[in-house]
Amino acid sequence: MQMQQLYQEIILDHHKHPHHAGLRDPFGAEVHHVNPTCGDEVTLRVRLEGDGREAKVLDVSYDALGCSISQASTSVMTDLVIDRTLGEALDVLGEFTTMMTSRGTLEGDEDVIGDGIAFAGVSKYPARVKCALLGWMAFKDAAAQAAADDTAAAQAAADDTAAAQAAADDTAAAQAADQGAAVPAAVAEES
């Protein structure tokens, strides 16, 4: 079997039996991306746990409409990013994007992009590159939004903690002031 034929079978298999398809809860961010050139579209959800590049990608779910390339590529992407850190997932995305935008000059590193290497031949056709990258760019967008929301939530929690500490400090100061005022009164009564 020639490699090109094997790659076509990988793409067709992911198209016929997409992995992680169907939108699931809970999620941290949801995005909707459309390829205006061909009309392919994907709604994608990402769930992260943790902060920054060390955040873990707990889940990626999606609902896609379009050609076999865009749907198969999104299926492959989910296999490659779920259960990795966000940093690792973005590194895989970078490797896949570099291969896809090489116009066929790079074969890609199978150790990094796994079944994504099946799309190396697609990179020779600029009109199809956007199809192959649609789900990947949606993941990048959703992950950025989820990470920003987590950062905002963490900041809000930190602000709430600081506000609660300030309120506790004010209460303690008020109690100390009351006790300070009470002591002279008690001392005055004893005198």
Side-chain angles (χ1 to χ4, degrees):
M1 179 181 298
Q2 293 182 341
M3 291 305 288
Q4 191 62 31
Q5 186 179 359
L6 174 64
Y7 291 165
Q8 288 174 355
E9 287 187 13
I10 290 171
I11 292 171
L12 289 174
D13 186 54
H14 275 277
H15 172 64
K16 289 179 181 175
H17 309 287
H19 302 181
H20 307 286
L23 296 172
R24 288 183 295 277
D25 291 322
F27 60 94
E30 177 180 295
V31 299
H32 181 78
H33 282 217
V34 176
N35 180 352
T37 306
C38 63
D40 290 353
E41 58 185 271
V42 63
T43 300
L44 184 138
R45 293 177 175 175
V46 169
R47 181 177 172 209
L48 303 177
E49 180 178 80
D51 297 320
R53 289 181 59 88
E54 294 306 313
K56 187 170 183 179
V57 180
L58 295 180
D59 193 24
V60 178
S61 62
Y62 63 95
D63 186 20
L65 295 172
C67 68
S68 59
I69 291 173
S70 69
Q71 293 189 40
S73 180
T74 302
S75 173
V76 167
M77 179 272 298
T78 60
D79 285 345
L80 292 170
V81 301
I82 292 174
D83 291 330
R84 290 186 181 226
T85 67
L86 181 57
E88 292 169 340
L90 293 176
D91 289 345
V92 172
L93 185 150
E95 179 75 17
F96 186 77
T97 302
T98 298
M99 179 191 74
M100 290 309 302
T101 56
S102 74
R103 295 184 181 255
T105 60
L106 298 176
E107 295 179 3
D109 184 346
E110 187 174 4
D111 291 338
V112 178
I113 61 174
D115 281 352
I117 200 165
F119 297 87
V122 176
S123 70
K124 296 175 185 173
Y125 307 99
R128 306 310 301 235
V129 169
K130 287 184 179 179
C131 298
L133 288 175
L134 182 66
W136 294 76
M137 294 301 109
F139 167 73
K140 183 178 180 181
D141 185 14
Q145 288 184 29
D149 287 348
D150 285 348
T151 301
Q155 184 61 46
D159 290 348
D160 287 349
T161 301
Q165 183 62 46
D169 290 348
D170 287 348
T171 301
Q175 288 175 345
D178 287 346
Q179 289 175 350
V183 169
V187 171
E189 286 179 12
E190 289 177 3
S191 315

